[in-house]
Amino acid sequence: MSAQVVTTWSLEQTDLDGLRQAKPPAEPVDLVRVDVPSPEFSRFLYTAVGGDWHWTDRLGWNHQRWSEWLERPGVETWVLYSRGTPAGYVELEAQPNDQVEITCFGLLPGFVGRGLGGHMLHEAGVRAWNLAQRWPQLEPTKRVWVHTCSLDGPSALANYKARGFEVFRVEEETIEVADTPIGPWPGARA
């Protein structure tokens, strides 16, 4: 472990019209909703996508905690598939005051750099804005927000901005960071 200064950018959209499309991917992909909450699958996605970017907040969650998180109204997991293989995922969470947070977003290491992230983020934004259509107890979305940090992929902040998200807060803090990323195995993104 080593202490590092980490910058966190919080970004938002307050109007669906602000969401900008990306260049279509060069390969066929599908963004599919996980209709049956699966703690095992969600943990796999979390570690496979976030391991090299030091995503650690949920590593201590047990099966019950994962289930409780995933089964809440307005929480959705969407998986990007490339020819039947999971390539990335996004997790949406309905929040008070008709807001939706993109709580997790990213690609598996083998799919980074293939022009998929911008497309997936646009499609995730569309689904965040129309979340209430799938959850009748929710009011229409008024704000979609996300945060990224200096530990995330080098294209993350630029991708959010290119899709029309605007920074509304920047914070810096010193935190302990593992010297070796956690997975899906050390060096997976190399």
Side-chain angles (χ1 to χ4, degrees):
M1 298 285 275
S2 62
Q4 290 186 27
V5 175
V6 176
T7 304
T8 300
W9 296 271
S10 296
L11 302 98
E12 67 182 351
Q13 286 183 344
T14 56
D15 190 320
L16 172 60
D17 292 337
L19 183 61
R20 294 192 290 261
Q21 285 192 317
K23 180 179 174 183
E27 60 192 89
V29 295
D30 292 304
L31 190 63
V32 178
R33 181 175 165 202
V34 176
D35 286 330
V36 178
S38 169
E40 297 85 356
F41 189 43
S42 289
R43 190 175 196 287
F44 157 75
L45 292 168
Y46 183 82
T47 59
V49 169
D52 281 343
W53 310 117
H54 303 278
W55 293 6
T56 59
D57 294 351
R58 299 182 186 182
L59 293 181
W61 289 11
N62 62 22
H63 191 274
Q64 180 179 343
R65 178 68 182 102
W66 275 102
S67 292
E68 290 168 354
W69 173 264
L70 296 169
E71 293 172 2
R72 293 178 304 130
V75 171
E76 295 182 345
T77 302
W78 291 83
V79 180
L80 185 74
Y81 288 93
S82 174
R83 297 180 303 240
T85 301
Y89 88 113
V90 61
E91 184 181 84
L92 306 175
E93 179 194 20
Q95 295 182 337
N97 302 316
D98 310 323
Q99 298 181 69
V100 175
E101 180 182 1
I102 298 173
T103 54
C104 295
F105 176 88
L107 298 169
L108 276 80
F111 293 90
V112 173
R114 292 168 54 172
L116 303 177
H119 171 75
M120 186 171 77
L121 183 54
H122 174 265
E123 294 301 308
V126 169
R127 285 150 180 84
W129 280 106
N130 67 28
L131 187 73
Q133 293 174 12
R134 295 179 301 281
W135 298 92
Q137 68 270 45
L138 299 177
E139 293 296 320
T141 302
K142 293 180 182 168
R143 177 179 181 249
V144 176
W145 74 282
V146 65
H147 67 271
T148 188
C149 74
S150 53
L151 294 175
D152 281 340
S155 300
L157 182 60
N159 189 22
Y160 292 123
K161 288 180 175 182
R163 301 292 73 76
F165 285 85
E166 297 179 0
V167 175
F168 70 90
R169 181 175 55 233
V170 179
E171 299 172 299
E172 284 190 348
E173 66 178 321
T174 301
I175 62 172
E176 291 293 320
V177 177
D179 295 326
T180 304
I182 52 155
W185 55 81
R189 94 179 120 130

